[in-house]
Amino acid sequence: MAITRLNTNAFGTSVNLASNVTGTLPAANGGSGRTAVTGNILQVVHAVNTTADSTTSGSYSATSLSASITPSSSSNKILIILACSTNVSSHASSAIGGYGHGAFYRQIASGGYSSIYAPIMLGGIKQTNLYMAASSAAEYLDSPNTTSQVDYKLYFKLHSGNSVLVCNDGTKKSFTLMEIAG
């Protein structure tokens, strides 16, 4: 059904808005004010977690950090950004801290989690029995090829030392997920 303006223009004719209005809906009228083109950020999800996670295992296991996003198009990508504090305890006789590895895992719909990016270096510093947390950060551009909900989770494992801790001593770990138009 065409939308027709009730009053006439300067030439005395009606204006058919359905065929004469182009572009995007302005932000003041509920739109974004722009057309989504490749590279635009369409949505952002941010998850913060303060639960301390620890492992002594050499196999990947899940941390408590996760976030979910639902892409609006299967051609869009998801930029994953990780920020966290890590510490690795080592043997008392060692003067250098150990390290662990982290990995991004993805689950689509009700399927299982699978690794999509590894390794992320997780390390700590040890000086004469004094352990200091180190910051760890990583990012990865994922192509989940779906419009279903996608769940992301941080996994980690010990590589060297006695244990790896993520988000200890009241620090935070966070995921930022950005849907990028493809």
Side-chain angles (χ1 to χ4, degrees), residues 100-140:
H101 289 153
F104 294 141
Y105 276 60
R106 172 182 69 199
Q107 174 183 345
I108 298 175
S110 60
Y113 277 94
S114 59
S115 176
I116 58 170
Y117 177 75
I120 300 162
M121 185 62 92
L122 304 174
I125 303 166
K126 176 184 181 287
Q127 295 178 337
T128 319
N129 295 324
L130 173 64
Y131 298 95
M132 297 168 22
S135 293
S136 296
E139 60 184 46
Y140 179 71

Side-chain angles (χ1 to χ4, degrees), residues 8-77:
T8 56
N9 63 15
F11 301 106
T13 59
S14 296
V15 176
N16 183 332
L17 295 178
S19 63
N20 292 322
V21 175
T22 61
T24 60
L25 184 62
N29 293 334
S32 66
R34 63 181 183 164
T35 303
V37 295
T38 301
N40 280 357
I41 297 172
L42 304 177
Q43 65 172 312
V44 177
V45 173
H46 185 71
V48 176
N49 185 292
T50 58
T51 303
D53 296 305
S54 176
T55 188
T56 58
S57 174
S59 299
Y60 280 112
S61 58
T63 69
S64 56
L65 179 61
S66 64
S68 301
I69 193 167
T70 304
S72 58
S73 170
S74 61
S75 63
N76 293 346
K77 299 182 182 322

